[in-house]
Amino acid sequence: MGPPAEESKSEPFADLAERLSAVETAVKDFHRRAAHRESVIDRLHEENQSLRNGMRREVLDPVISDLVRLYDGLNAQAQRLSSELFASFADDVVLVLDRCGIEVVAAVAGEEFQSGLHAVGSVEETADPALHNTVAAPLLAGLRERDTGRMRRLAKAVFYRAGQAAPAEPAGA
């Protein structure tokens, strides 16, 4: 009778081992599926953000263009009329542009020319070589996207150019 008692003792352990193996397989399968779901969720989140940014740009770009024209007009009137009222309205538009992710970057008198930031509106001759390639007068503010750092419009200004010394006329002429 000894052998049947051993079989009955090992039989529950075999059944238990079999069940544990099935649980282990199920847990591994669950983790594999969960990892796959996480990767799908991450990919969908990235796509959602990309679509959102594209939609935001598509919707905001015309508004930003209109705000820029409004800012330019108000700023020009403020300078032409020396009006603090127009200047304050222009400042309000700058705040709205900032909320849209656009920084207004003005050229500053005396600032040295920087490629990628400045555009030459015109040139003013100067005899002072220290002023060469510096801003003489700002014309239009530049616009930079805060998120990307990309310039949407370069700051336009009048720049100094050191003049060449005029050639001396011949004595006999």
Side-chain angles (χ1 to χ4, degrees):
M1 278 200 13
E6 279 183 29
E7 282 180 23
S8 65
K9 283 184 179 178
S10 66
E11 198 173 293
F13 288 120
D15 186 41
L16 184 60
E18 209 174 283
R19 285 182 173 180
L20 281 175
S21 178
V23 168
E24 183 180 29
T25 302
V27 167
K28 284 181 182 177
D29 191 43
F30 174 79
H31 283 298
R32 183 186 53 77
R33 286 193 317 265
H36 177 69
R37 276 193 301 271
E38 287 295 322
S39 70
V40 168
I41 289 169
D42 289 344
R43 183 179 48 82
L44 289 173
H45 180 71
E46 287 175 15
E47 287 177 10
N48 186 21
Q49 291 301 322
S50 176
L51 289 171
R52 219 177 193 175
N53 289 338
M55 185 182 300
R56 180 177 170 257
R57 177 166 287 151
E58 197 173 299
V59 169
L60 280 182
D61 272 354
V63 173
I64 289 171
S65 295
D66 290 342
L67 286 169
V68 167
R69 279 193 295 280
L70 178 61
Y71 170 76
D72 289 342
L74 289 170
N75 203 31
Q77 288 295 347
Q79 290 175 1
R80 189 171 69 81
L81 302 173
S82 297
S83 169
E84 287 188 30
L85 180 62
F86 281 110
S88 73
F89 288 152
D91 290 342
D92 289 343
V93 174
V94 168
L95 294 174
V96 175
L97 285 168
D98 185 57
R99 283 191 294 257
C100 292
I102 302 295
E103 294 175 318
V104 175
V105 183
V108 179
E111 182 177 43
E112 198 166 310
F113 175 82
Q114 296 176 40
S115 179
L117 177 64
H118 295 122
V120 178
S122 65
V123 174
E124 187 175 310
E125 296 292 329
T126 181
D128 186 355
L131 293 176
H132 183 68
N133 281 341
T134 61
V135 174
L139 296 174
L140 280 176
L143 305 167
R144 180 176 29 228
E145 291 180 2
R146 188 178 330 110
D147 295 341
T148 64
R150 180 179 76 90
M151 291 297 289
R152 288 177 66 123
R153 178 174 83 181
L154 300 177
K156 198 172 192 180
V158 177
F159 285 87
Y160 285 118
R161 177 173 54 196
Q164 304 284 338
E169 290 193 28

